[in-house]
Amino acid sequence: MSDNKTNILEIESAVVRFVGDSGDGMQLTGNQFTDTSAVSGNDVVTFPDFPAEIRAPAGTVGGVSGFQVNFSSNPVTSHGDAPDALVAMNPAALIMNVKDLKHGGLLVVNSDSFGAIDLRKAGIESNPLENDTVLHETYQVVEVGMTSLVQKALEEIDLKASDKKRCKNFFALGLMYWVYDRSLEFSKNWIKKKFAKKPILIEANTIALEAGYAYGETIELFNNRYTIKSNDMPSGTYRQVTGNSALAYGLTTATFSSGLKLVYGSYPITPASDILHELAKLKHYDVRTVQAEDEIASIGVALGASYAGSLGVTATSGPGLCLKTEFVGLAAMVELPLVIVNVQRGGPSTGLPTKTEQSDLMLAMYGHNGEISVPVIAPKSPVDCFYTAREAVRIAVEYMTPVIVLSDGFVANSSDLWRVPDIKTLDKVDVEFYEGDAEGYEVFARDEKGARKWVVPGTPDLQHTLTGLEHNTLGDISYDGENHQKMTLERAEKIKNIAKSLPSLEVMGPDSGDVLVIGWGGTYGSICAAIKELRKTHKTLSYTHLTHLNPLHNDLEALMSRFKKVVVVEINLGQLHKILRSEFAIDAELICKIEGKPFLVSELVNSISEYL
Amino acid sequence: MSEKKYTKKDFTADKLVKWCPGCGDYAILAAVQKTMADLGRPKEQQVVISGIGCSSRFPIYMDTHGFHTIHGRAPSVATGVKVANPDLDIWLVTGDGDGLSIGGNHLLHAIRRNVNMVVLLFNNKVYGLTKGQYSPTSEVDTVTKSTPYGSIDEPINPLSFALSAGATFVARTYDTNPKHMQHVFSEARNHRGLSFIEIYQNCVIFNDGAHDNVLERTIRSERLVELMNGEKLIFGKEKDKCLVFEGLELAVKNVADVNEADIVTHETAQASPTYAKILADLQGADVPSPIGIFRQVERPVYNDAVIQQTEDVKEKYGMGDLQNLLNGNASWEVKSDAHPIEEEFTTFTP
Ligand SMILES: Cc1ncc(C[n+]2csc(CCOP(=O)(O)OP(=O)(O)O)c2C)c(N)n1
Ligand code: SF4
Ligand SMILES: [Mg+2]
């Protein structure tokens, strides 16, 4: 055992943030730390944060990339507010992030990258490590010459100096494993797999990892080490999953097990592209992907595929949704199933491509010409993207309608620990292509839900032409006013009917009381944590999270009426807030912010308290 | 595939056709219906897809499966149909505005991908449906409601556009010649890849006689040169005129004045599109307009490649297993007696 006398304190949870240049491998480091924590039985939620530029000039503030993980011996829903520990690989990363670190928190810096040039690149004149006394008084600063230590450790390895330097993230990882008393096993195995084709890199990265760990052990620089007990997790298969991957899996399982082909049309855009990357690999799951010439064509491809009897899906982010709106209207008008995913990012226009926001709700709900209602649903967490995607497929096929899924940059890129479901327990979507009698067949005849039959080209005797012009029940073009009114109402009624198929609303806290907080989409994790905190002292506070934005739940009005106050929380200037006020004529309150970042739990605790 | 006996009537919808009396679209409709009947391919496999415009009303009048989509975007819808079900025969109908203005980008990409379908571009050099504005194929100085002092933008040549995008089958025909249309349509259908056909179409209301400079009966034989594979480019009522190369251009000569060997022999299958482009560029008062098939070559077909790649991946990895997909390759097992943590939410019942 070690002779190192550093105390190991047992704590319940910790938040660690790794920050560095976008070329420093911080995402990888953070992911490794997360996986190791999850494997050792902690619940985890992560929050990656990267710059819009792929490789902004190295060392500048524009190029800072970060990864935060909250890990705990109890269930966690948010990525955590202020980090307990910050690992900063250069001055730019330090100055951008240190203000978030908890007072008294651990600040580990790579002191080798604080030379005059590094400081100039970061836009600062004096070296904070040398001259900033406040920094040293506020935090527990540990300066480690990571670059030189790694080079030393790799002396014997036959690699270029620049390649050796690149192993420093594994050094940092090893060091943090020591601080948090984690095993190196998971990462060692990962390195083996990852660099299987380059044994020299297996050796170098493993040595760097071990050197970092050993450095913590030998140099008594740290006040404390920490250990976090395992959760009592139920049996099962566990993994980490990001929202975008979960969404791709949700779409694939829903279609594949229902015997539907999935045709995915897409045009690359941050932060939705990873869905395309994921699905493009899945050709053996009857997934066909088309990288179209633009967002309009990509939804056109998807709609064409749905017309021909596959499930068409397209995904994009805000500006792309603007381009798709005419086709969404056509899909709603000809009543074909279609799933449109919008991974929201900061808007308007090109906005904040890598930052999160919930400001496309109005666009999704009302961004159509004419009176048409399009179902809108939103995932609340990375794992929930899986179930939301499946729900979108269900609604699209059962109701013969386009469905908009409003994910967001935060949910898409961050990850949760996922107890993987047994595929056999997942419901299948009922897919039926009508091939029956031509006698009496009417293109827009409806079933009890209001849905028309899906008749695909290739079906004998049921030839018909779909059109975006107004048509009658037979599918024939009709400019008749009465018919237009009838068809418009029928289409609206069909979407309203979806509400009857929704599971009950879920409430945290009593089902009547003083304050009901309402959230939707990716704010779930932070709101949950804040409500749990506040409910310790405020028993009449409740919270419900809306998964379906259109149609809204039939019981929502009744639930809201049982509270003295309704407070809506969202990352925009109050879009759901406006909708609830206009739909139900209620006097709802609003908590909102629009900084491109998820809510901090403490922010919500403070702002919700004002209504208590 | 079993070939059925069909008549033109089998492809005619029981609907009132609402084009203006005398519109060239009627004859094109009849020619397509006749071609489909003659080809005898299963009727339920025929899918007509269009954008928006007078011409794009086409599928409404066909007794086939059809999709009248939105302005300019039909090529993307057709691509999706072909990716989902490559067995269907796609006939895409578009106009000079629909296909070359709002939908130019989609058409370009459908062509370069070489999606297996027939594209019929009705060129009346005007926006018919919106009542007569000039279009991307209108000549400079065209006076319309939107260009009272004459249009100032240079027109685009549909065939040059298609050839530059890499079209593997390129042809031109015209609305007053049913036989020629049927021949070109049926050759197009039998081509594997995207077949692009420009149809000179007359809009009697907003641009009557737009093609009269080449199609007017009395001058037609002097103004059109019919392209026939393997045959010399000879035209004129008396078959007395011909085309020969002068540098990189085609020049009109009297047959009597040239060596027979110098008269250009039409070859549709040339590896380079240059010759076809030179033909496509034949425009103006001094040269005849070519009619017929300009180019026909083989190139990988997008929808075939989609299927091939799918098959290859299935061959390599086997049919997908959803549980494996979800588990991924970085999962781990936990064995314990612990129960799932109690939900902190309760269901609401009013
Ligand atoms: C998005 C959109 N923009 C504009 C229009 C109006 N519009 C309908 S058809 C058309 C032009 C059609 O011209 P062309 O494709 O040449 O067809 P033609 O009527 O001449 O056969 C226009 C501008 C529309 N329907 N949709
Ligand atoms: S406006 Fe012109 S193109 Fe349209 S139907 Fe009438 S004649 Fe034909
Ligand atoms: Mg036109």
Side-chain angles (χ1 to χ4, degrees), chain A residues 35 38-39 75 193 232-240 249 252-253 256-257 261 263 282-286 288-294 296-297 300-301 303-305 307-308 310 326-327 330 334 336 386 417-423 455-460 462-469 476-477 479 504-509 511 524 528 532 543 555 558-559 562, chain B residues 15 18 43-49 52 57 59-71 73-86 88 102 105-107 109-110 112-113 302 306-307 309-311 313-314 317-341 343-350:
Chain A
D35 268 343
V39 172
K193 265 197 225 161
D232 253 355
M233 294 201 289
S235 291
T237 304
Y238 287 81
R239 64 172 288 180
Q240 223 202 113
Y249 300 151
T252 309
T253 54
F256 194 61
S257 55
K261 263 185 304 221
V263 175
L282 304 183
K283 307 239 178 311
H284 48 319
Y285 291 86
D286 272 336
R288 296 179 183 172
T289 54
V290 175
Q291 182 177 314
E293 55 271 23
D294 60 26
I296 303 175
V301 165
L303 185 61
Y307 169 61
S310 294
E326 191 186 3
F327 256 128
L330 178 65
V334 297
L336 281 171
F386 177 78
L417 182 61
W418 188 24
R419 183 150 77 107
V420 181
D422 179 348
I423 201 77
V455 174
V456 302
T459 313
L462 298 179
Q463 290 84 357
H464 62 278
T465 291
L466 296 177
T467 172
L469 284 166
D476 292 336
I477 295 171
Y479 303 122
S504 302
L505 282 173
E506 306 260 312
V507 184
M508 181 191 278
D511 65 8
Y524 170 81
C528 250
K532 274 186 217 168
Y543 164 44
D555 296 341
L559 179 65
R562 296 192 187 188
Chain B
K15 295 205 179 114
K18 291 188 178 163
K43 171 172 158 169
E44 64 274 14
Q45 300 280 89
Q46 308 307 306
V47 186
V48 185
I49 300 178
I52 299 292
R57 291 290 170 95
I60 310 274
Y61 307 130
M62 294 289 298
D63 190 8
T64 60
H65 286 283
F67 199 170
H68 175 228
T69 70
I70 52 176
H71 199 21
R73 321 297 178 191
S76 64
V77 175
T79 302
V81 172
K82 265 316 231 191
V83 168
N85 183 356
L88 298 170
I102 190 165
N105 192 33
H106 306 305
L107 196 51
H109 289 277
R112 76 154 168 102
R113 291 190 180 104
Y302 182 76
V306 167
I307 303 302
Q309 201 172 51
T310 304
E311 293 309 313
V313 173
K314 282 183 186 165
Y317 298 112
M319 200 59 187
D321 175 303
L322 288 176
Q323 195 67 56
N324 285 348
L325 174 69
L326 298 196
N327 292 352
N329 37 25
S331 63
W332 60 93
E333 294 295 322
V334 171
K335 295 243 178 298
S336 80
D337 323 318
H339 293 289
I341 310 275
E343 272 287 344
E344 281 155 284
F345 285 83
T346 50
T347 55
F348 172 67
T349 31

Side-chain angles (χ1 to χ4, degrees), chain B residues 10-227:
Chain B
D10 289 310
F11 293 93
T12 308
D14 183 17
K15 295 205 179 114
L16 186 65
V17 183
K18 291 188 178 163
W19 286 311
C20 308
C23 174
D25 292 354
Y26 284 94
I28 306 173
L29 177 66
V32 170
Q33 289 164 336
K34 183 75 172 57
T35 307
M36 283 188 185
D38 291 348
L39 284 167
R41 298 177 53 79
K43 171 172 158 169
E44 64 274 14
Q45 300 280 89
Q46 308 307 306
V47 186
V48 185
I49 300 178
S50 65
I52 299 292
C54 294
S55 39
S56 287
R57 291 290 170 95
F58 201 92
I60 310 274
Y61 307 130
M62 294 289 298
D63 190 8
T64 60
H65 286 283
F67 199 170
H68 175 228
T69 70
I70 52 176
H71 199 21
R73 321 297 178 191
S76 64
V77 175
T79 302
V81 172
K82 265 316 231 191
V83 168
N85 183 356
D87 296 338
L88 298 170
D89 289 347
I90 310 288
W91 301 77
L92 188 140
V93 177
T94 184
D96 43 321
D98 190 70
L100 293 171
S101 190
I102 190 165
N105 192 33
H106 306 305
L107 196 51
L108 168 83
H109 289 277
I111 295 172
R112 76 154 168 102
R113 291 190 180 104
N114 202 24
V115 182
N116 192 13
M117 59 180 164
V118 179
V119 175
L120 306 174
L121 187 136
F122 293 30
N123 186 5
N124 55 10
K125 300 192 177 186
V126 75
Y127 287 178
L129 192 69
T130 46
K131 302 203 164 80
Q133 300 82 1
Y134 80 118
S135 92
T137 55
S138 306
E139 272 109 68
V140 173
D141 278 341
T142 299
V143 173
T144 68
K145 273 179 250 165
S146 64
T147 50
Y149 307 113
S151 62
I152 53 178
D153 26 356
E154 197 62 37
I156 188 168
N157 175 333
L159 296 189
S160 300
F161 167 81
L163 286 163
S164 303
T168 52
F169 181 106
V170 174
R172 181 188 284 146
T173 183
Y174 55 102
D175 58 5
T176 49
N177 191 340
K179 284 267 161 323
H180 193 261
M181 282 193 284
Q182 288 166 41
H183 163 70
V184 170
F185 296 165
S186 108
E187 290 299 308
R189 166 60 199 83
N190 290 329
H191 172 71
R192 276 202 70 74
L194 188 141
S195 308
F196 183 90
I197 304 166
E198 176 189 18
I199 308 168
Y200 284 162
Q201 177 242 326
N202 194 36
C203 168
V204 278
I205 304 295
F206 297 112
N207 206 10
D208 196 19
H211 302 290
D212 275 0
N213 60 335
V214 290
L215 295 184
E216 203 277 316
R217 272 176 205 291
T218 56
I219 58 166
R220 194 182 288 172
S221 48
E222 301 299 320
R223 301 288 295 117
L224 290 182
V225 52
E226 191 164 344
L227 306 174

